[in-house]
Each structure stands twice: as C-alpha cells, then as structure tokens.
Amino acid sequence: MIGADDHRRRIEQRGLWFDELEIGVVYVHRPGRTVGEADNTLFTTLTMNAQALHLDEAWSATQPFGRRLVNSMFTLSTLVGLSVNQLTQGTTVANLGFSDIRFPAPVFHGDTLYAETTVVDKRRSRSRPGQGVVTFEHTAHNQDGDVVAVAVRSALMLCSDPGPEVSR
C-alpha cells in the first residue's frame, strides 16, 4: 500500500496525446493475441451472429476454407484493441468512424494476430478546443505475416496543450 509519505515519481500507462502522434510513423503493437475457439464462439454468440461459418465445424468443413472462420468483427475489434495501450489509453475522447475496412485473408482458431498502426492524418478540432482529429490506418497480420485485416479509423484525441480557444 502507498503511504502518504511516499513521494516517489509515478508513471501511469497512457496513450499518446494528439501532439505526440506523428503522421507517417508506424506504431508497432506488441504483444500479439492468439485467437482461441472459445473467443470466436463467445464473441459470435454474444453479438447474435449465428453464421454457421463461425459455429458449425462439420458444415464449415464442406465450405471453401474447409474449417470455421474467426468472426471478422472479432478480428476488427482485436485489431483496434491491440493499439489501445500504446496509442489511445486515456487520451481518446471518442471514435468518430471507420472506413475502408477489409479482410484480405481469413483468421482461424489458433492464429496469432499482430497489429501496427500508421497515423495518416491529423488536425486540430475547429469546434472542440484542446482536441484534435486523428486518422489511423490499423493493419493486422497473422503469425505468418499475412495481412488479415485493415481498417481506417478517425478518432477525437486530447491535446497535451489545449492551445488557444477556438471561436465558434
């Protein structure tokens, strides 16, 4: 337990402020996340997505990939989630939207997802002082280096220095 007389410097994990994010920089997120059967089944049933490709092994064996696929929405959520500690933990205000989402290769039970993010654009908010809009491009690779998901996301981020008031 921390006592009142404990004056050691403390550092709390946080993401990066708007002003710390650099356009064109690739942020590599580690560790990766190995996807298990239970992850896929739970996510699929919690989200009411009863797609047989995610739940029915016998039927999926007769389909083009020959086995169950991990739910692509789980893949997308994990892709973004892998970036949180490094980029947005405690420094994001809100997600503004997603675009250009694609899944160029399937994810299967036992695959490990690794993610990286490139900041493709950023600007100070014109209507929200002390905040800025950042456009991220998130990319997920599996353990073999195959790209399995890409998503462009805009987020409203806090600035470390609020700067001058913005007139409305």
Side-chain angles (χ1 to χ4, degrees):
M1 181 149 198
I2 300 171
D5 59 346
D6 185 351
H7 300 291
R8 291 178 290 173
R9 184 175 156 205
R10 300 198 182 305
I11 298 173
E12 183 175 338
Q13 175 68 41
R14 68 159 172 84
L16 300 175
W17 301 108
F18 170 84
D19 13 342
E20 293 176 307
L21 293 163
E22 297 179 44
I23 294 174
V25 170
V26 177
Y27 298 89
V28 178
H29 314 301
R30 295 295 184 267
R33 171 68 158 78
T34 300
V35 180
E37 179 180 5
D39 299 320
N40 188 44
T41 300
L42 180 62
F43 185 90
T44 297
T45 56
L46 282 174
T47 59
M48 302 295 290
N49 178 351
Q51 173 54 254
L53 279 171
H54 307 312
L55 297 172
D56 187 331
E57 184 67 33
W59 182 81
S60 296
T62 68
Q63 299 307 301
F65 290 107
R67 55 186 164 152
R68 283 177 288 168
L69 300 175
V70 170
N71 188 315
S72 60
M73 294 296 99
F74 177 87
T75 302
L76 176 62
S77 296
T78 303
L79 168 57
V80 174
L82 286 166
S83 75
V84 168
N85 282 341
Q86 186 178 15
L87 295 181
T88 62
Q89 178 65 41
T91 57
T92 191
V93 178
N95 275 323
L96 299 176
F98 287 84
S99 65
D100 195 24
I101 298 169
R102 52 192 193 280
F103 304 99
V107 176
F108 301 105
H109 301 152
D111 282 352
T112 300
L113 300 178
Y114 297 97
E116 58 187 42
T117 300
T118 303
V119 175
V120 295
D121 193 30
K122 69 179 214 174
R123 66 170 176 78
R124 284 267 190 167
S125 173
R126 291 183 285 276
S127 61
R128 299 182 64 100
Q131 299 174 9
V133 177
V134 179
T135 303
F136 298 105
E137 183 179 71
H138 301 288
T139 304
H141 301 85
N142 66 15
Q143 67 281 354
D144 299 321
D146 300 324
V147 174
V148 297
V150 177
V152 175
R153 174 174 72 109
S154 295
L156 189 60
M157 302 289 295
L158 295 171
C159 299
S160 64
D161 173 17
E165 283 294 313
V166 178
S167 60
R168 292 182 183 217

